[in-house]
Amino acid sequence: MVGLDTDDSTEFLWGYAVPLQRYSENSTRDDMRRIDRAKLMLIDTPYTQKGRDSLKNKIKFLRNKGLIRKYGDMFKDDVRDVRDVITDFLVKVLEHVKGQLVVFEKFTDNWKVEIVITVPTAWSSNSSRILGSCMEAAMAATRFGSLKNGAIDNLFIIPEPEAAATWMLGNDHEVVVRLYLVPSA
């Protein structure tokens, strides 16, 4: 039997562990301790405002509890607070990917690693740079991928439509286009 998961639990959950914890009968962990969709903090649009406000409140709550880092003035927002949340998540993702590659593909640190991140078209170049710096920090923390001369030479950040088109054009997949005409009433 799994132990009771409460607000005093110190286990850091990510990925599939989050919904498992969230819907577990043994969990009473406060929803304010769950950060999801942190990338919304990088998109300043009216459409994302509600999500960003919710994330800001959760980040502030977790900072005040001492559960996540805080930079600068305690009472002012600092972009590094968001970077740390995103970086912490990316560290977990890269650790998982690296571990799976070791187990199933006999991965070693001598392998060449290229990382491609797709971003929404609504993102500014500044948002992409912030995500790139988060990935750089995660790569350094996990030693997954190479940093040469203090820079990433194997990280590519591509808008989602370009990534989809590149994948389609670069693969020999049969493309089927169906057009359905529906008569009007």
Side-chain angles (χ1 to χ4, degrees):
M1 179 173 167
V2 176
L4 187 62
D5 183 38
T6 67
D7 283 342
D8 295 330
S9 301
T10 57
E11 182 182 4
F12 178 72
L13 304 171
W14 77 280
Y16 291 115
V18 174
L20 287 175
Q21 172 273 328
R22 187 175 184 198
Y23 297 110
S24 169
E25 64 186 42
N26 293 327
S27 179
T28 60
R29 194 181 295 209
D30 185 355
D31 189 53
M32 285 295 287
R33 293 186 60 192
R34 183 174 48 88
I35 295 178
D36 54 354
R37 301 174 63 203
K39 293 187 303 182
L40 284 180
M41 297 300 286
L42 303 178
I43 308 171
D44 188 10
T45 66
Y47 176 73
T48 62
Q49 187 64 47
K50 184 177 177 183
R52 285 183 291 119
D53 289 344
S54 173
L55 280 167
K56 283 179 187 179
N57 290 334
K58 287 181 179 185
I59 289 170
K60 183 178 179 180
F61 173 83
L62 293 170
R63 278 193 325 242
N64 291 340
K65 290 269 190 190
L67 297 172
I68 62 173
R69 296 176 287 251
K70 170 64 184 140
Y71 286 96
D73 185 333
M74 188 59 158
F75 302 104
K76 291 184 181 175
D77 289 335
D78 191 312
V79 72
R80 290 172 294 189
D81 296 332
V82 174
R83 287 181 183 174
D84 282 344
V85 170
I86 294 170
T87 299
D88 289 346
F89 175 76
L90 291 173
V91 164
K92 290 296 187 184
V93 170
L94 292 182
E95 286 174 346
H96 177 75
V97 169
K98 186 177 181 180
Q100 293 297 296
L101 287 172
V102 167
V103 170
F104 294 108
E105 302 294 333
K106 310 298 185 239
F107 173 82
T108 69
D109 289 333
N110 295 329
W111 283 27
K112 181 178 180 183
V113 175
E114 290 184 349
I115 296 175
V116 178
I117 301 174
T118 62
V119 297
T121 54
W123 275 32
S124 67
S125 56
N126 188 47
S127 296
S128 293
R129 280 191 294 278
I130 291 170
L131 183 62
S133 70
C134 293
M135 181 57 82
E136 181 177 356
M139 290 169 67
T142 59
R143 297 179 149 177
F144 188 66
S146 60
L147 301 173
K148 295 181 181 173
N149 301 321
I152 301 174
D153 67 346
N154 56 347
L155 174 64
F156 304 93
I157 299 176
I158 307 170
E160 290 166 349
E162 287 180 37
T166 301
W167 183 83
M168 287 298 296
L169 294 173
N171 291 291
D172 292 330
H173 298 288
E174 180 180 326
V175 178
V176 178
V177 177
R178 291 188 175 112
L179 178 62
Y180 294 97
L181 297 175
V182 180
S184 59

